[in-house]
Amino acid sequence: MAQPVSDNSIQNLISASKSLRLSLQKSQGLGLALEKAGSRFEEINQRLPSLEAAVRPIRADKEALASVGGHINRAVGPAAAVLKVFDAVHGLEKSLLSDPSSDLPGYLSVLKRLEEALRFLGDNCGLAIQWLEDIVEYLEDNAVADKRYLSNLKKSLKSLRELQSDEGKTYLDGGLLEAALEKLENEFRRLLTEHSMPLPMSSSSSLGDQACIAPSPLPVMVIQKLQAIIGRMISNNNLEKCISIYVEVRSSNVRASLQALNLDYLEISIAEFNDVQSIEGYIAQWGKHLEFAVKHLFEAEYKLCNDVFERIGLDVWMGCFAKIAAQAGILAFLQFGKTVTDSKKDPIKLLKLLDIFASLNKLRLDFNRLFGGGACVEIQNLTRDLIKSVIDGAAEIFWELLLQVELQRQNPPPPDGSVPKLVSFITDYCNKLLGDDYKPILTQVLIIHRSWKHEKFQEKLLINEVIEIAKAIEQNLEAWMKLYEDPSLANLFAMNNHWHLYRSLKGTKLGALLGDSWLREHEQYKGYYAEVFLRDSWGKLPSHLSREGLILFSGGRATARDLVKKRLKTFNENFDEMYKRQSNWIVSDKDLREKTCQLIVQAVVPVYRSYMQNYGPLVEQDGSSNKYAKYSVQTLEKMLMSLFQPKPLRYGSFKGTRQLSGNFDSGVKDLRRTTSAVV
């Protein structure tokens, strides 16, 4: 049987229950506290390295801690100065990225400050980095700082050290200096371009009018600005860029000035022309154009180069000028002259070579002064080659001329009895060589040519050679005269040529050398052969109109008529044959032609007129009168006065001409061309 529970037991249970409840609550609170403590322990664990680093100096050696402050101060001073300059560089950026044309002096001043700043950085960055590296090394050696912190410092210092290399220094200013220099280059080009104006020349205006116009020099203010820009460029090792721009702009300006002169002929090659005659007009222009280019355009560029670059040195501005001259066209002028010297030889070429030599000789002092520097070696070499080719070519043609005249002797004479082209050409040609324009030049050329061979030259050598050429012409005429089968044509040929020698050489340099007696001799020969020609040809016609026997038959008109018919028929036949044959003959000289025709008229017409007046009625009544009274007196006279007229379209050339390293015949191809070329 169960026993009743006592009040004490119940009370104990209640107490135990409360105690358990309290214990449970405390356990829960302790659990929460432990949970919070765990997170705090983790936080403490994470902060321990930094705390350890913070307290390390406390644990470091006392002497190391005492000296570290001095090391840091010495390193931070240069570094702070460098950082200050970096800030100053960034402060210049706005000014240097603006347009320098608005205030060039101010722009250059700012650029100079940038250069000084970059020099400071270049000189002091290394020192600051070295000090910082030293303090890092000190901190590392004495375990004064955290390793990770020191590692980050080392990486940063390594990057700075790389910027100290030549390649890295360009990034010190972030490319600001390069951008500023590019703007200066553009301003340099703008100043040159806006103030470089070609001459306002017209292709239709004469060169003589243009020769007095010199290119306007750049204004002093512009030159000063260019010099200031050059100074800054030199400081940055950029002088070549300035020179390149200057040469480009100024050479283009000279080419533009020359363009109006129509210099396309300078590009002609040997393959594009047959002989010198085909381009002789260009050769005359070449001398004038070259003189104009040298004395005015290149002279102005020479002075301007000196003005702009004089502060830098002779070699620089002379080199600049040499490039301008070469690019502007001086080489093309010289090459054209060389092309002429390389063409085939003929007598006309000698005169053109002398023209080229005269032009070059006239400009000799200018060439020596403008192109005498070491920078103009290419121009000097081309000029020397041209002069040598001109002198060699001219001397060779001159000394071979006599031989070429002699070689013409084997060729047939003109079939019309006229003056051979060779004769008229050589007489005019020799007079040209002896004239005041060419003789001094030819003499100088021959003196130089013989001096190269260490031989002396005397003027009489030139005179004697020309006289020998004239004598060779005489011998040619004698030989050619013998080649005619028709004696009358031979006499007409002799009359023509002796008169030509007298008429064309009287009062000339060559005529004076040959002497008055020589000239009179040819005049007399002309008269002699004219007389013989008339006597042996037209002078025989009147004999066919003989009156012999006609009086005896005065009473027998039929017999007389038959005799008159016979004699008129014979006269007409001989007249027709002679007229037909001689109508193709030529007397070039107008005065000689008219005089010769008048002599023929005087020899024939009076006899014919008298005969027809006396005996014409005998045949005029005959039904066939036109057969015998074929010509009226007026018709006969008109026909005779029309003889020996030049035929302009009949001009030809000698065949079978020997060559003078080219055709001598090219010099006498066409009488009209030859005469215009020589005279």
Side-chain angles (χ1 to χ4, degrees):
M1 182 173 169
Q3 297 182 357
V5 179
S6 64
D7 293 335
N8 290 334
S9 299
I10 292 172
Q11 192 67 34
N12 288 337
L13 286 170
I14 292 171
S15 298
S17 174
K18 291 180 178 179
S19 177
L20 287 171
R21 192 178 293 113
L22 289 172
S23 296
L24 181 60
Q25 290 175 350
K26 287 181 180 180
S27 296
Q28 290 175 345
L30 181 62
L32 291 173
L34 287 174
E35 185 177 352
K36 292 181 179 180
S39 61
R40 291 184 64 189
F41 284 142
E42 181 65 27
E43 182 180 351
I44 291 171
N45 186 52
Q46 292 177 355
R47 293 179 61 188
L48 278 177
S50 59
L51 292 173
E52 181 184 7
V55 301
R56 183 174 292 125
I58 302 175
R59 295 185 290 112
D61 183 70
K62 183 179 181 179
E63 294 180 358
L65 285 173
S67 61
V68 71
H71 282 288
I72 292 175
N73 289 336
R74 285 193 297 271
V76 169
V82 168
L83 290 175
K84 186 176 181 180
V85 173
F86 265 118
D87 290 338
V89 168
H90 290 300
L92 301 176
E93 184 172 347
K94 182 178 180 181
S95 298
L96 292 176
L97 293 181
S98 64
D99 186 0
S101 63
S102 58
D103 181 16
L104 182 60
Y107 190 92
L108 294 174
S109 177
V110 174
L111 178 58
K112 186 175 181 180
R113 288 167 56 192
L114 174 63
E115 295 170 10
E116 293 171 349
L118 293 179
R119 279 196 297 271
F120 177 85
L121 292 177
D123 295 340
N124 292 279
C125 276
L127 179 62
I129 293 170
Q130 185 62 52
W131 281 104
L132 291 174
E133 287 176 342
D134 289 346
I135 188 61
V136 168
E137 183 179 355
Y138 181 87
L139 293 174
E140 187 176 31
D141 291 345
N142 292 276
V144 176
D146 180 58
K147 290 183 179 179
R148 286 178 295 178
Y149 174 72
L150 293 177
S151 176
N152 290 334
L153 276 178
K154 285 182 178 180
K155 290 180 181 178
S156 298
L157 291 175
K158 182 179 180 182
S159 298
L160 290 175
R161 180 66 72 182
E162 290 175 352
L163 288 175
Q164 280 299 103
S165 65
D166 291 338
E167 188 174 321
K169 282 182 180 179
T170 57
Y171 300 103
L172 285 175
D173 63 343
L176 182 58
L177 177 62
E178 183 178 354
L181 292 178
E182 184 176 352
K183 285 185 172 295
L184 272 188
E185 291 173 9
N186 294 336
E187 177 64 8
F188 190 83
R189 181 184 295 276
R190 185 191 70 80
L191 287 170
L192 277 174
T193 303
E194 290 186 359
H195 295 88
S196 296
M197 299 296 176
L199 294 185
M201 297 168 59
S202 171
S203 59
S204 61
S205 59
S206 66
L207 195 60
D209 295 335
Q210 298 291 346
C212 61
I213 303 176
S216 300
L218 296 182
V220 175
M221 186 63 69
V222 173
I223 292 178
Q224 291 174 347
K225 289 182 178 180
L226 294 175
Q227 290 175 335
I229 294 175
I230 290 172
R232 294 268 56 83
M233 289 297 194
I234 292 176
S235 298
N236 292 278
N237 299 318
N238 236 354
L239 175 62
E240 284 302 319
K241 187 64 177 178
C242 280
I243 292 177
S244 175
I245 294 173
Y246 185 89
V247 170
E248 176 190 344
V249 174
R250 293 305 300 179
S251 61
S252 176
N253 189 65
V254 175
R255 288 196 301 272
S257 297
L258 290 173
Q259 188 173 5
L261 298 179
N262 295 326
L263 299 180
D264 293 342
Y265 68 87
L266 295 180
E267 305 300 325
I268 292 178
S269 64
I270 297 179
E272 293 180 90
F273 63 92
N274 296 323
D275 51 44
V276 172
Q277 279 186 305
S278 63
I279 61 166
E280 62 180 322
Y282 291 142
I283 298 174
Q285 291 181 2
W286 176 86
K288 296 178 181 178
H289 291 164
L290 177 62
E291 181 179 0
F292 177 77
V294 170
K295 285 188 173 292
H296 297 278
L297 299 180
F298 292 125
E299 177 72 32
E301 294 305 320
Y302 181 85
K303 293 177 180 178
L304 189 58
C305 279
N306 182 30
D307 291 341
V308 175
F309 295 98
E310 63 177 339
R311 299 177 182 175
I312 306 174
L314 179 66
D315 292 343
V316 173
W317 73 261
M318 280 296 292
C320 187
F321 169 71
K323 293 176 182 177
I324 292 174
Q327 294 184 20
I330 187 65
L331 300 180
F333 275 103
L334 298 174
Q335 186 56 52
F336 175 81
K338 192 65 169 60
T339 299
V340 175
T341 64
D342 291 340
S343 63
K344 65 181 181 180
K345 288 184 284 186
D346 63 52
I348 289 297
K349 181 180 176 180
L350 171 56
L351 300 179
K352 299 301 108 182
L353 292 178
L354 295 179
D355 287 338
I356 292 176
F357 180 84
S359 297
L360 294 174
N361 194 50
K362 185 178 182 180
L363 297 172
R364 179 171 55 87
L365 295 180
D366 298 283
F367 262 74
N368 290 340
R369 180 171 50 83
L370 298 179
F371 311 115
C376 298
V377 172
E378 183 179 9
I379 298 174
Q380 294 167 15
N381 290 338
L382 278 176
T383 304
R384 277 194 295 267
D385 290 345
L386 174 57
I387 292 175
K388 187 177 188 307
S389 297
V390 167
I391 292 176
D392 285 341
E396 185 176 359
I397 293 174
F398 177 75
W399 293 118
E400 290 185 5
L401 189 57
L402 173 60
L403 173 63
Q404 298 306 314
V405 171
E406 293 173 344
L407 291 175
Q408 294 292 307
R409 202 170 297 161
Q410 64 185 354
N411 296 325
D416 54 15
S418 62
V419 177
K421 282 97 179 153
L422 174 70
V423 175
S424 57
F425 172 80
I426 289 296
T427 52
D428 290 339
Y429 186 75
C430 288
N431 270 322
K432 197 75 172 178
L433 293 179
L434 294 173
D436 294 335
D437 291 336
Y438 283 108
K439 184 182 177 183
I441 304 172
L442 178 57
T443 300
Q444 187 176 359
V445 165
L446 297 178
I447 289 174
I448 295 173
H449 187 258
R450 290 181 76 90
S451 70
W452 290 346
K453 299 179 179 181
H454 305 289
E455 299 174 354
K456 291 184 178 181
F457 176 82
Q458 296 178 346
E459 186 177 356
K460 67 178 183 180
L461 294 175
L462 169 59
I463 301 302
N464 291 340
E465 188 71 11
V466 173
I467 292 175
E468 289 301 316
I469 292 172
K471 292 181 178 179
I473 287 293
E474 286 185 300
Q475 295 172 5
N476 283 15
L477 293 178
E478 294 176 2
W480 286 331
M481 185 178 174
K482 297 176 181 177
L483 296 178
Y484 285 107
E485 296 181 359
D486 187 334
S488 294
L489 181 56
N491 291 328
L492 180 79
F493 172 80
M495 176 192 71
N496 261 329
N497 285 274
H498 284 294
W499 178 248
H500 173 80
L501 291 178
Y502 170 77
R503 184 73 177 267
S504 64
L505 296 183
K506 183 180 180 181
T508 65
K509 299 283 186 179
L510 180 56
L513 283 179
L514 296 170
D516 290 339
S517 60
W518 187 92
L519 293 173
R520 285 195 300 270
E521 181 178 329
H522 283 283
E523 183 184 23
Q524 292 169 358
Y525 274 128
K526 183 273 302 183
Y528 169 76
Y529 284 109
E531 182 180 343
V532 174
F533 165 74
L534 184 62
R535 183 193 66 199
D536 293 345
S537 57
W538 296 100
K540 294 181 178 180
L541 273 181
S543 63
H544 297 297
L545 298 178
S546 173
R547 303 183 182 210
E548 183 178 353
L550 293 179
I551 299 177
L552 298 178
F553 294 94
S554 57
R557 294 181 62 86
T559 304
R561 183 184 301 113
D562 292 340
L563 189 56
V564 169
K565 286 182 178 180
K566 181 178 180 182
R567 290 177 180 176
L568 282 175
K569 181 180 178 182
T570 303
F571 174 87
N572 290 336
E573 289 174 349
N574 282 272
F575 176 86
D576 290 343
E577 185 275 331
M578 194 174 300
Y579 181 82
K580 180 180 179 181
R581 179 159 45 92
Q582 296 193 17
S583 62
N584 292 321
W585 297 358
I586 292 175
V587 176
S588 303
D589 184 84
K590 181 181 179 182
D591 292 339
L592 179 61
R593 180 173 62 252
E594 291 179 353
K595 185 176 181 180
T596 302
C597 290
Q598 288 172 357
L599 290 175
I600 296 174
V601 168
Q602 292 172 9
V604 176
V605 172
V607 175
Y608 183 77
R609 179 187 295 113
S610 175
Y611 195 83
M612 292 303 293
Q613 286 176 349
N614 291 321
Y615 305 108
L618 291 176
V619 297
E620 289 172 356
Q621 298 174 0
D622 193 284
S624 59
S625 60
N626 291 336
K627 183 178 179 181
Y628 304 103
K630 189 174 182 180
Y631 301 108
S632 68
V633 173
Q634 292 79 8
T635 300
L636 194 69
E637 182 174 357
K638 185 177 180 180
M639 292 176 66
L640 292 176
M641 289 301 297
S642 68
L643 285 169
F644 313 128
Q645 295 290 332
K647 311 293 191 298
L649 299 179
R650 290 173 54 81
Y651 287 100
S653 61
F654 278 109
K655 304 297 182 181
T657 304
R658 293 280 295 274
Q659 289 189 342
L660 180 81
S661 302
N663 286 335
F664 177 89
D665 185 42
S666 64
V668 291
K669 271 182 181 175
D670 187 285
L671 182 59
R672 290 165 296 169
R673 287 179 59 192
T674 299
T675 304
S676 64
V678 175
V679 180

